[in-house]
Amino acid sequence: MNIRLLVVVAFCIFLAACGKVTQEEVIEDVNKKWSEAKGYELTASMEVKTGSEPRIYDVNVWHTKPDFYRVSVNPQGETEQQLIVRNEEGVFVVTPALRKTHKFQSEWPKQNGQGYLIGALAEDLIADKNLVMTEDEENFVFELETRNVDRTALPVQQISINKKTMLPTKVSVLDGELQEQVVIQFKDIKLGVQHKAEEYAVEKFSDDEEKKAASADIVNTEFKVYYPTVNWAHTKLTDELEVQEDGNSRVILTFEGEKPFTMMQQPINYNESILPVFSTGDPADLGDTIGAITEHSIQWDKDGMSFFIASTKLSKEELLEVAASVQEGSQK
């Protein structure tokens, strides 16, 4: 091969190398684009495959810098049932149909960001020094660790970023066997959208949604017992006790073994007051509802029932796993 041909080949290789975008450059561009936006609105769909049947949810997010958030996650096609709101007064979970508002002393979403919060995704990309980037025709695809509360059961996530827009198109959260358990498909992302502080006022969402829910049947008049369906070989239900208190029924389930816990459930009492009630811990996204999780307990409302699980032996991830598995009458 003559010298001139060698020079041409070397130059072509140089140009190809220059045109190749590195994962470091992609992460830098993504972080700049997503993090420097003064606010955003987005809509997405989220499919959760961890139960006996897949469940699909509509997701809507507002974010205005620095710390204002409004998040709704509801079964597909249904109107808003719950909201997570972060404003200058704190973090709130609002359930207008039940006239219930829980206030948290929490740094959410810093400790428990979800895949539909694009700022949290940008932080995930920066935090994992061992992430791997691949490409297809339209997207950069990153595989990296999750950092949310369920990272033991769901340790891996894949983030797909459109090459033209540099915005996320899909997030898949995988279990230890790399099987998809949660899939988020982004439909529309508008960067630069800001909302005024008063638009994040809890009273606004409470009043608007309470009117929609005024005629809803929100009370569980027929007591139905729910059981966790999590399959732990060395943990079994050993006792089921029903207690009557002030005309209300409460069921207490005791599970013993390697991962012992106690689960309590009772019908929700309709409350005319919508004043915030202080809750310890952090908001916990269970897909079809939002609960409150601490180091040793988790509480949530669903189907007109109030649930509480406590254990000194379970981790937060295990508490969340048990709560997400609870279904009506599955151990009867």
Side-chain angles (χ1 to χ4, degrees), residues 236-287:
K236 303 295 182 184
L237 175 64
T238 60
D239 189 44
E240 179 173 334
L241 176 65
E242 183 171 351
V243 178
Q244 296 290 329
E245 183 178 326
D246 297 329
N248 298 316
S249 296
R250 175 185 301 168
V251 170
I252 303 172
L253 306 178
T254 302
F255 290 78
E256 296 181 351
E258 290 183 0
K259 298 179 179 181
F261 61 92
T262 300
M263 174 175 157
M264 291 180 285
Q265 56 190 289
Q266 64 185 52
I268 296 171
N269 288 323
Y270 184 81
N271 186 2
E272 291 293 341
S273 172
I274 199 166
L275 294 175
V277 176
F278 180 78
S279 295
T280 56
D282 295 299
D285 186 352
L286 297 173

Side-chain angles (χ1 to χ4, degrees), residues 165-328:
T165 66
M166 296 303 288
L167 290 172
T169 57
K170 178 182 176 181
V171 173
S172 297
V173 186
L174 315 177
D175 61 20
E177 298 178 352
L178 300 184
Q179 299 296 311
E180 281 188 336
Q181 298 300 315
V182 180
V183 179
I184 299 167
Q185 300 274 2
F186 292 94
K187 297 179 179 179
D188 185 39
I189 301 175
K190 298 177 182 177
L191 296 182
V193 179
Q194 295 177 278
H195 290 270
K196 297 179 181 179
E198 54 264 32
E199 294 184 77
Y200 289 90
V202 170
E203 295 79 8
K204 169 182 170 55
F205 304 119
S206 300
D207 292 343
D208 290 348
E209 296 307 315
E210 185 178 358
K211 292 174 184 177
K212 296 178 186 178
S215 62
D217 180 11
I218 61 172
V219 181
N220 187 343
T221 55
E222 180 184 354
F223 192 95
K224 302 174 182 178
V225 180
Y226 288 66
Y227 300 88
T229 59
V230 64
N231 187 19
W232 289 340
H234 301 292
T235 301
K236 303 295 182 184
L237 175 64
T238 60
D239 189 44
E240 179 173 334
L241 176 65
E242 183 171 351
V243 178
Q244 296 290 329
E245 183 178 326
D246 297 329
N248 298 316
S249 296
R250 175 185 301 168
V251 170
I252 303 172
L253 306 178
T254 302
F255 290 78
E256 296 181 351
E258 290 183 0
K259 298 179 179 181
F261 61 92
T262 300
M263 174 175 157
M264 291 180 285
Q265 56 190 289
Q266 64 185 52
I268 296 171
N269 288 323
Y270 184 81
N271 186 2
E272 291 293 341
S273 172
I274 199 166
L275 294 175
V277 176
F278 180 78
S279 295
T280 56
D282 295 299
D285 186 352
L286 297 173
D288 52 356
T289 189
I290 301 164
I293 192 167
T294 70
E295 291 296 330
H296 301 296
S297 68
I298 185 168
Q299 183 276 329
W300 73 100
D301 297 331
K302 179 182 177 182
D303 298 336
M305 298 286 291
S306 181
F307 300 91
F308 179 80
I309 294 173
S311 174
T312 59
K313 300 296 184 181
L314 299 187
S315 65
K316 277 187 174 182
E317 292 86 352
E318 289 167 334
L319 286 168
L320 194 62
E321 185 179 355
V322 175
S325 78
V326 170
Q327 297 179 11
E328 178 191 341

Side-chain angles (χ1 to χ4, degrees), residues 4-133:
R4 179 176 295 179
L5 184 57
L6 283 173
V7 171
V8 172
V9 171
F11 184 67
C12 291
I13 293 173
F14 173 77
L15 288 178
C18 290
K20 183 76 171 178
V21 180
T22 67
Q23 68 179 38
E24 289 77 14
E25 290 172 328
V26 175
I27 293 171
E28 182 179 354
D29 288 348
V30 163
N31 185 58
K32 183 177 181 181
K33 187 179 184 72
W34 300 358
S35 299
E36 289 187 0
K38 294 181 179 180
Y40 65 79
E41 284 186 6
L42 68 80
T43 58
S45 65
M46 180 171 67
E47 182 178 12
V48 180
K49 304 179 181 181
T50 53
S52 57
E53 294 183 359
R55 294 156 289 161
I56 301 178
Y57 303 94
D58 294 322
V59 180
N60 183 277
V61 180
W62 293 359
H63 172 52
T64 301
K65 275 196 169 183
D67 293 317
F68 284 16
Y69 290 88
R70 170 202 179 276
V71 176
S72 67
V73 181
N74 297 293
Q76 193 170 59
E78 295 187 14
T79 56
E80 289 175 347
Q81 297 178 332
Q82 276 188 313
L83 295 167
I84 304 179
V85 179
R86 182 184 177 99
N87 58 30
E88 57 193 3
E89 297 179 0
V91 178
F92 301 83
V93 171
V94 184
T95 312
L98 299 177
R99 292 176 171 82
K100 293 181 73 172
T101 300
H102 292 272
K103 181 177 182 180
F104 295 83
Q105 189 66 38
S106 168
E107 291 299 312
W108 180 91
K110 292 181 180 179
Q111 299 110 325
N112 190 19
Q114 297 293 325
Y116 43 72
L117 301 179
I118 63 175
L121 293 179
E123 293 173 1
D124 290 347
L125 289 169
I126 294 172
D128 189 350
K129 304 304 180 185
N130 298 313
L131 85 176
V132 176
M133 184 183 82

